[in-house]
Amino acid sequence: MEFTKEDFGEDFKWGVSTAAYQIEGAHNSHGKGLSIWDVFSQKRRAIANNHNGNTACDFYNRYSEDILLLHKLNIPNYRFSISWSRILPHGTGAINSKGVDFYNHVIDLCLELNIEPWITLYHWDLPHELEQKGGWTNREVIHWFSYFVDCCIRQFGDRVKHWMILNEPMVFTGAGYFLGVHAPGKKGLSNFLAAAHHAALCQAEGGRIIRSVRNDCKIGTTFSYSHIEPKNNTDKNVAAAIKVDALLNRMFIEPLLGMGYPDKELAILKRMERFMQPGDEGKLAFDMDFVGLQNYTREIVGYAPFMPFVKAKIIKADKRKVERTLMNWEIYPPSIYHALKRWNEYPGVKEIVVTENGAAFSDELVNENVQDVDRVNFLQDHIEQVLKAKKEGVEVSGYFVWTFLDNFEWAEGFHPRFGLVHVDFETQKRIVKASGNWYREFIKQSLLKEIPDALP
Ligand code: GCO
């Protein structure tokens, strides 16, 4: 490794990311309402091995120890999400004060330890009661979501200065409302387009609400992004790659930047008009302070005449016999560099934060030790690509590892482990992996306060 943290400059933000449903557990404790993931994960065969997040990492009960562990790992920025139905059990209306207390404790302990809290408002766990009214396919979601955002910024905005509106809208609308493999398990083009349009409106509206309530917060939102290449340069394959790129990489960021949906490249998006109302185009735009890049891999695309709508398919990593992670995602560090360079060229993008990057490997626990050298290499190689982009002038200001703790990996259950910290899901014991120790040393110079004597 031929770089240090110092090469990124003093202001560069190092951190880790998590999400409520993946770690909190306590799915029905202290007045919490059910979310679509609580319900979806109970369906037979929805999740690998019939796992569910009812307990997950039990972060709800163990947050003090876990945040102390963040402190021990020298991690100065912690990104987590708010479980909407923990705060608003019915999705709107009455606030559950116990839920608010929990996030207040998390935030206050972080601040006490000089760890900057970064909040994601929506990381996929819509309140179940709202799904019963159509969820993201119902345009009313804009009102429900606005109410939730308003509650959160009023409750926590005095102390939390970094906000992200949505986590990867392409994934929760695509997997949840088109493919049906994520909660709420809906399928079909109409569900997808409706959900996607409403999510795109909410990402901008959420930004407007935060800015109208407080003027001292940095507002962003996050997007998944995979560098895409055609399997070869025939016209058909190139055209297929352009469509998949429009769908996976451009469909949510471009309307936010005032460019509209990329329907020239992906004609199917013209059908979005069915869900659009007068004035919507303008409402899709908002000038974020930063955008969050979430990158894991690249995708190779080929022409596939029988695939509905896009006539394209992704050729998975095992078929290509390339180096890959446990998720069957190709290990291709330049992907993050290409993403940063491309986003930097959008005139509306002011600042980019890598809000997620990481990998699942088949970690082995031997003598209370996980020597996850493959993860250390993955992180180093990706961080190096971020530095390369930064040196070339890209406005990238932070990097967050996905993730802190091994956790509930959505439809894959607990099998793929992405953490810097190993979790035994039977005993809830935490063991810092070699990658966690590496990251701790890498960011050592950050100013962290001593651990205070008394904990809440
Ligand atoms: C994502 C999610 C995470 C996943 C991670 C690994 O945004 O896709 O934020 O929840 O766990 O990406 O798949």
Side-chain angles (χ1 to χ4, degrees), residues 22 123-124 167-168 294 296 329 356 402 409-410 418:
Q22 294 181 275
H123 204 128
W124 305 358
N167 183 75
E168 298 188 359
Q294 317 210 140
Y296 291 88
W329 295 345
E356 283 182 26
W402 184 270
E409 177 56 26
W410 308 113
F418 278 83

Side-chain angles (χ1 to χ4, degrees), residues 41-298:
S41 62
Q42 305 307 315
K43 291 190 185 156
R44 271 189 66 222
R45 288 203 275 269
I47 313 292
N49 305 308
N50 287 320
H51 287 165
N52 62 60
N54 290 0
T55 307
C57 307
D58 196 29
F59 180 80
Y60 183 78
N61 294 306
R62 293 166 195 266
Y63 72 90
S64 317
E65 296 142 56
D66 285 336
I67 294 170
L68 275 169
L69 183 54
L70 281 177
H71 172 84
K72 284 192 197 139
L73 293 175
N74 296 329
I75 291 167
N77 293 280
Y78 177 43
R79 170 178 175 241
F80 58 93
S81 77
I82 305 262
S83 156
W84 183 342
S85 63
R86 199 180 286 291
I87 302 240
L88 299 167
H90 307 287
T92 76
I95 294 183
N96 174 29
S97 62
K98 292 253 171 63
V100 173
D101 289 348
F102 167 66
Y103 293 108
N104 276 329
H105 294 322
V106 168
I107 292 164
D108 291 343
L109 183 55
C110 283
L111 292 172
E112 216 176 312
L113 296 169
N114 231 12
I115 297 169
E116 187 69 29
W118 294 53
I119 285 183
T120 311
L121 285 160
Y122 185 74
H123 204 128
W124 305 358
D125 44 359
L126 189 77
H128 175 60
E129 283 194 31
L130 300 182
E131 181 55 39
Q132 289 175 310
K133 298 177 193 156
W136 285 98
T137 67
N138 184 343
R139 197 177 164 102
E140 277 295 297
V141 72
I142 302 166
H143 299 295
W144 305 328
F145 186 69
S146 298
Y147 181 79
F148 168 58
V149 175
D150 189 77
C151 286
C152 290
I153 186 67
R154 288 182 197 282
Q155 297 286 346
F156 312 122
D158 56 334
R159 287 153 294 148
V160 177
K161 300 300 161 200
H162 291 89
W163 293 80
M164 286 143 287
I165 311 299
L166 300 182
N167 183 75
E168 298 188 359
M170 183 58 222
V171 179
F172 78 77
T173 58
Y177 288 84
F178 183 70
L179 300 172
V181 296
H182 276 191
K186 281 189 175 158
K187 288 185 186 166
L189 188 66
S190 291
N191 282 328
F192 169 62
L193 292 177
H197 183 54
H198 301 145
L201 286 166
C202 282
Q203 82 184 349
E205 191 57 24
R208 281 187 285 273
I209 292 168
I210 296 191
R211 195 164 287 159
S212 72
V213 176
R214 297 196 72 95
N215 57 15
D216 60 347
C217 293
K218 277 207 159 197
I219 308 168
T221 194
T222 77
F223 305 101
S224 45
Y225 187 103
S226 300
H227 179 59
I228 285 173
E229 290 177 33
K231 75 174 188 190
N232 60 35
N233 283 330
T234 64
D235 289 352
K236 281 188 168 164
N237 287 321
V238 171
I242 289 171
K243 282 189 199 167
V244 173
D245 178 58
L247 180 69
L248 298 188
N249 292 330
R250 300 172 52 197
M251 189 177 150
F252 286 91
I253 192 169
E254 294 193 358
L256 181 71
L257 299 173
M259 301 161 70
Y261 293 113
D263 56 5
K264 279 185 211 65
E265 291 78 7
L266 190 62
I268 196 81
L269 295 182
K270 293 213 164 64
R271 299 201 203 166
M272 199 74 119
E273 274 164 21
R274 274 177 52 205
F275 305 102
M276 296 197 51
Q277 293 187 3
D280 274 8
E281 247 151 67
K283 289 186 194 151
L284 288 166
F286 178 72
D287 65 318
M288 293 285 171
D289 298 310
F290 70 93
V291 282
L293 168 65
Q294 317 210 140
N295 172 262
Y296 291 88
T297 187
R298 83 166 155 177

